[in-house]
């Protein structure tokens, strides 16, 4: 019994004809899944946070706590 010779001609192009579209499709699906599973909820969380965020109130609270060196608390 004799073994069949392996096909070596145009082996790369035959493999790429299948693997390249599959890799492209999987990367596209992964990018879309990441967008809707990670980025959109993160953007919504930032929007919800800054909807009710008061920077002046936060600054005054940090000033009273003595966080800043250049701004003294009101009590001093």
């Amino acid at each position: 019994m004799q073994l069949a010779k392996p096909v070596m001609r145009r082996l790369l192009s035959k493999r790429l004809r299948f693997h390249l579209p599959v890799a492209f499709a999987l990367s596209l699906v992964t990018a879309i899944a990441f967008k809707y599973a990670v980025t959109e909820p993160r953007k919504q969380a930032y929007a919800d946070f800054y909807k009710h965020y008061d920077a002046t109130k936060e600054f005054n609270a940090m000033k009273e706590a003595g966080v800043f060196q250049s701004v003294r608390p009101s009590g001093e």
Side-chain angles (χ1 to χ4, degrees):
M1 183 168 173
Q2 194 172 10
L3 293 175
K5 289 186 176 181
V7 178
M8 300 303 281
R9 289 189 188 268
R10 293 182 286 279
L11 183 62
L12 179 63
S13 63
K14 285 180 184 177
R15 298 285 182 181
L16 283 180
R17 194 173 299 135
F18 172 74
H19 287 99
L20 199 60
V22 170
F24 183 76
L26 286 176
S27 65
L28 188 63
V29 167
T30 303
I32 291 171
F34 186 81
K35 177 181 176 15
Y36 288 109
V38 176
T39 2
E40 292 299 322
R42 185 178 295 172
K43 284 184 350 187
Q44 186 62 42
Y46 274 106
D48 292 342
F49 175 76
Y50 282 110
K51 191 181 296 181
H52 303 292
Y53 181 70
D54 186 12
T56 308
K57 179 181 169 187
E58 205 59 38
F59 169 73
N60 289 332
M62 286 190 285
K63 181 176 81 169
E64 294 304 319
V67 173
F68 304 115
Q69 293 178 355
S70 60
V71 180
R72 298 280 180 202
S74 325
E76 283 189 25

